[in-house]
Amino acid sequence: EAAAGGGGGYAIDVDPVAITTTNPTLTAPSVDHEYYIVQNSTSAITINLVAAATCGAGFQYTFKVLGTGAVTIDPNGSEYIDHSGQSTYTPIQYDAITLLCDGSNWYLV
């Protein structure tokens, strides 16, 4: 579907999902990019990612952290974020991060 106003590309429906005070395990995606607003207030939470192989190369997660509680993003099993020494990632309040999947691991972009 062409974007309004020309220029090619396509329109994207963005409907961010709120993550509150639970420790969510994300489910297999049905789109190429999922958006999450992390509203955890002061509660510490861990966001468990879907296996990279399930998401596939090119899939992206975007997280926007609004709460002050600790947030840990945890890849599946032995997967990592950016490099083999980084098995989790901890954004802080007001960070917005996007993770890109290569089919095996995750990378901050």
Side-chain angles (χ1 to χ4, degrees):
E1 177 180 334
Y10 34 99
I12 298 174
D13 251 346
V14 176
D15 189 15
V17 175
I19 296 175
T20 55
T21 58
T22 61
N23 293 324
T25 297
L26 306 181
T27 58
S30 59
V31 294
D32 291 336
H33 197 145
E34 291 185 352
Y35 298 85
Y36 292 89
I37 305 298
V38 183
Q39 299 171 320
N40 60 318
S41 187
T42 59
S43 300
I45 64 169
T46 297
I47 299 169
N48 299 295
L49 300 181
V50 175
T54 299
C55 293
F59 176 78
Q60 295 179 41
Y61 283 120
T62 294
F63 299 97
K64 174 66 177 178
V65 178
L66 298 179
T68 59
V71 175
T72 301
I73 299 174
D74 189 9
N76 188 273
S78 63
E79 295 173 0
Y80 56 79
I81 296 174
D82 270 352
H83 56 84
S84 61
Q86 187 163 296
S87 59
T88 62
Y89 185 77
T90 307
I92 60 172
Q93 187 178 30
Y94 304 125
D95 276 356
I97 66 157
T98 297
L99 296 174
L100 174 65
C101 180
D102 71 355
S104 298
N105 292 289
W106 298 93
Y107 298 91
L108 291 165
V109 293

